[in-house]
Amino acid sequence: MGVQENGSGGDKGMSSVPLGAKNKYRRMDSELNDYSDDDLEVAPYKQTQQERTKSTRKYVFACAVFASLNNVLLGYDVGVMSGAIIFIQEDLKITEFQEEILVGILSVISLLGSLGGGRASDALGRKWTMGIAAIIFQIGALIMTLAPSFQVLMMGRLLAGIGIGFGVMIAPVYIAEISPTISRGSFTSFPEIFINIGILLGYVSNYAFSGFSSHINWRIMLAVGILPSVFIAFALFIIPESPRWLVMQNRVDEARSVLMKTNEIESEVEERLSEILKAAGIGTGTGTGTGENQEEKAVWRELLNPSPSLRRMLITGFGIQCFQQITGIDATVYYSPEILQTAGIEEKSRLLAATVAVGIAKTLFILVAIMLIDRIGRKPLLYVSTIGMTVCLCGLAISLSLFKGTTLGVELAILSICGNVAFFSIGIGPVCWVLTSEIFPLRLRAQASALGAVGNRVCSGVVAMSFLSVSRAISMAGTFLIFTILSFLSVGFVYKLVPETKGKSLEQIELLFQKDRNWNEEEVELSDTQQLVKNEGN
């Protein structure tokens, strides 16, 4: 019995041979037969499976990277504008109000892109929506680079915002739909990684080109953002379409082919395909068939008049997206030079160098999140993130009030800003997008995710467009005290309304919202179920 529990391929032969005197002959006879009969059959299978696993992971990794390239554009725009705005003020003589509008309008107008992106991705497919996003953004970036006036600059900014809205909402949805369950969290976090890489590149660009004249330097900074379009165009011919979108179009054979490339265990492909067909409400050999307009009307009717379970999904998805932004991350990133200036740093080169340190901290900790999100889960990372951000935002408020203008105040401000962006990157930054791409049913996923992205972009725009004005009215320290309170509230939101989705298929996650229950009780029940299965297996 003890031998059989090992579960090796040669156990059958070993269990039929008595232990004791005869056992010494196994090396010459029985063991050789066991090895040749069983192990030689199992070994090639294991080797083939290992090769398949490596190949699948590389393929999904490449797809996630290519799908995330649009997010570099968003990150770069956010990072580069924080420094470029200083020189745009000098060159185009814009007012503080125009500065707020220029910085914040991209987030507000991107909500149009997010809404349009949801519909486009259902009609045209996930990957071609990414292509549209890149084209619109690049046109906007080119107009901004050549802008002779504030008005033309705003036109380019509006186009860039629409492109960003498309790209931000579709990349996590696409990656979640092609990723195997066991590594979905890590891969779906890639867009946030690339946003952070883009922000860091934007900060570095600010520092690198600040030495040119104010008429030229900000134009070079913005022009560099056009370069990723080459890679995005290449990516569209490499990555496959989402298997779940293909199923929605009744292209089941193509979906099966994609799943064969993206699932590590071949036997799970049909099971996963069956789940997707069931979630999409499509029977084998039947089409979606009754007209796309009616389908779309049904989707929006369901979103506007949701069932109790869908309402819980919408509250969770929309809420986490809003909390990601109303805790002030965009204010910290866009206006870090102004914040550090208030703390006591005057020299422009020092300001821009300090923002590079902020970008490095933000980028490094997103990598930590990627390594942990599928190991310890989404919810623990959210707890660490929201609690850490609350402490750092409070520290920043203190540094800007009690220690303003002192060396200690400057050091505490830099430490608090770096800590805030680090805690953001380790949790609510990537997990927010992972959750909103996981929790919605297949038929609603793209457009419900688009609604979440709209909430994210609106909150981002409100924060970015009001930060300077509010800071003038109640002081910068008072503004960060408000962010501290909002960040504290986000901890309670995570505890009460966010479930753990680690290790569950997209179709299984839907079941979490079917009944109104405490998420902690749900995790206990899941653990009990897993233990029961383990005991039955033994």
Side-chain angles (χ1 to χ4, degrees):
M1 193 68 177
V3 175
Q4 288 178 340
E5 284 178 357
N6 292 335
S8 64
D11 290 345
K12 295 181 204 174
M14 290 175 68
S15 63
S16 64
V17 178
L19 298 177
K22 290 185 180 180
N23 195 45
K24 61 186 178 181
Y25 298 110
R26 290 180 58 80
R27 292 182 63 86
M28 296 293 293
D29 184 9
S30 179
E31 187 175 308
L32 180 60
N33 290 335
D34 286 343
Y35 184 85
S36 59
D37 290 344
D38 291 324
D39 289 350
L40 286 180
E41 292 179 7
V42 172
Y45 172 79
K46 287 183 177 178
Q47 184 176 357
T48 302
Q49 183 58 45
Q50 288 174 352
E51 291 174 358
R52 178 180 173 83
T53 297
K54 289 180 182 178
S55 174
T56 298
R57 287 179 181 172
K58 287 179 182 178
Y59 184 74
V60 177
F61 177 87
C63 291
V65 168
F66 284 133
S68 303
L69 288 176
N70 266 321
N71 294 69
V72 175
L73 304 178
L74 169 60
Y76 184 83
D77 184 272
V78 170
V80 80
M81 191 55 73
S82 68
I85 195 69
I86 299 173
F87 305 106
I88 292 173
Q89 281 178 313
E90 292 181 15
D91 186 27
L92 301 182
K93 312 300 181 190
I94 63 175
T95 66
E96 184 179 281
F97 176 72
Q98 288 175 320
E99 176 187 351
E100 283 185 317
I101 295 296
L102 183 63
V103 169
I105 197 66
L106 181 135
S107 295
V108 174
I109 203 68
S110 65
L111 70 89
L112 298 177
S114 292
L115 284 173
R119 298 182 64 178
S121 66
D122 279 346
L124 304 175
R126 310 315 195 207
K127 77 171 186 174
W128 294 112
T129 302
M130 296 180 216
I132 293 171
I135 292 169
I136 295 174
F137 179 88
Q138 299 308 329
I139 294 172
L142 183 61
I143 292 173
M144 286 193 291
T145 300
L146 303 175
S149 65
F150 175 75
Q151 289 74 18
V152 177
L153 187 63
M154 280 293 295
M155 288 174 57
R157 193 82 171 147
L158 293 174
L159 277 175
I162 293 173
I164 282 174
F166 268 73
V168 162
M169 64 76 45
I170 195 57
V173 171
Y174 172 81
I175 296 171
E177 291 184 345
I178 67 164
S179 300
T181 299
I182 193 170
S183 54
R184 187 180 62 245
S186 297
F187 286 129
T188 310
S189 301
F190 274 31
E192 188 67 22
I193 292 182
F194 280 75
I195 287 176
N196 284 275
I197 291 173
I199 289 172
L200 179 58
L201 291 175
Y203 285 154
V204 171
S205 179
N206 287 336
Y207 186 72
F209 299 118
S210 60
F212 292 89
S213 70
S214 60
H215 179 67
I216 297 295
N217 54 13
W218 64 270
R219 298 178 189 276
I220 299 175
M221 294 172 188
L222 295 178
V224 171
I226 299 173
L227 297 178
S229 62
V230 178
F231 299 101
I232 293 171
F234 173 74
L236 293 177
F237 295 97
I238 300 296
I239 63 177
E241 186 50 84
S242 157
R244 288 170 170 85
W245 182 83
L246 290 170
V247 166
M248 289 170 65
Q249 305 303 308
N250 205 29
R251 292 156 62 179
V252 178
D253 289 338
E254 292 177 57
R256 182 182 288 107
S257 176
V258 175
L259 287 170
M260 289 289 290
K261 297 177 182 177
T262 58
N263 277 268
E264 295 176 8
I265 302 175
E266 190 172 339
S267 61
E268 290 184 359
V269 170
E270 291 302 324
E271 181 184 347
R272 186 70 59 238
L273 184 61
S274 177
E275 287 182 356
I276 296 170
L277 286 166
K278 184 178 179 181
I282 301 172
T284 309
T286 63
T288 54
T290 57
E292 291 182 9
N293 290 335
Q294 290 182 6
E295 177 84 12
E296 183 152 336
K297 286 179 183 177
V299 167
W300 279 104
R301 192 180 301 121
E302 192 168 352
L303 289 174
L304 295 174
N305 186 26
S307 64
S309 60
L310 179 57
R311 186 179 299 112
R312 285 190 284 272
M313 294 176 188
L314 289 169
I315 290 172
T316 299
F318 195 80
I320 198 71
Q321 288 279 9
C322 291
F323 270 114
Q324 190 204 54
Q325 292 299 326
I326 62 176
T327 47
I329 188 63
D330 273 6
T332 307
V333 173
Y334 273 125
Y335 296 109
S336 53
E338 282 87 346
I339 297 168
L340 294 171
Q341 210 166 24
T342 303
I345 301 177
E346 295 294 337
E347 191 179 339
K348 286 181 182 176
S349 60
R350 283 189 66 200
L351 286 173
L352 297 177
T355 59
V356 173
V358 173
I360 291 172
K362 201 169 188 300
T363 304
L364 286 178
F365 278 87
I366 187 67
L367 299 177
V368 175
I370 299 311
M371 291 187 287
L372 296 179
I373 193 168
D374 280 319
R375 294 183 182 181
I376 69 173
R378 285 62 158 151
K379 205 160 181 174
L381 289 181
L382 283 174
Y383 281 137
V384 171
S385 176
T386 51
I387 293 171
M389 287 171 63
T390 302
V391 172
C392 291
L393 288 167
C394 184
L396 185 55
I398 292 171
S399 71
L400 295 173
S401 56
L402 300 181
F403 305 109
K404 182 179 177 181
T406 66
T407 302
L408 177 61
V410 170
E411 291 175 352
L412 182 58
I414 294 175
L415 181 63
S416 296
I417 292 173
C418 289
N420 183 48
V421 299
F423 280 115
F424 176 88
S425 291
I426 206 171
I428 199 168
V431 173
C432 167
W433 296 104
V434 172
L435 279 172
T436 51
S437 64
E438 289 179 328
I439 62 176
F440 295 110
L442 173 59
R443 67 187 181 282
L444 307 174
R445 185 170 296 137
Q447 301 202 40
S449 297
L451 282 178
V454 167
N456 183 285
R457 294 293 87 202
V458 169
C459 292
S460 170
V462 169
V463 169
M465 293 174 71
S466 64
F467 178 74
L468 293 179
S469 298
V470 173
S471 297
R472 299 289 182 270
I474 65 172
S475 79
M476 199 166 281
T479 306
F480 278 100
L481 182 60
I482 293 174
F483 289 147
T484 302
I485 295 169
L486 293 170
S487 184
F488 179 76
L489 293 175
S490 71
V491 181
F493 179 87
V494 169
Y495 174 76
K496 196 70 179 172
L497 295 170
V498 177
E500 179 57 73
T501 58
K502 182 191 78 168
K504 301 175 180 69
S505 72
L506 296 178
E507 290 68 34
Q508 290 170 340
I509 291 170
E510 288 185 44
L511 300 177
L512 288 175
F513 293 88
Q514 295 299 317
K515 294 181 180 180
D516 192 6
R517 62 177 68 184
N518 184 282
W519 299 125
N520 297 319
E521 291 176 4
E522 174 70 29
E523 290 307 310
V524 171
E525 290 177 16
L526 179 62
S527 299
D528 292 342
T529 303
Q530 289 172 336
Q531 186 63 42
L532 179 62
V533 171
K534 188 183 296 184
N535 292 338
E536 287 179 352
N538 292 333

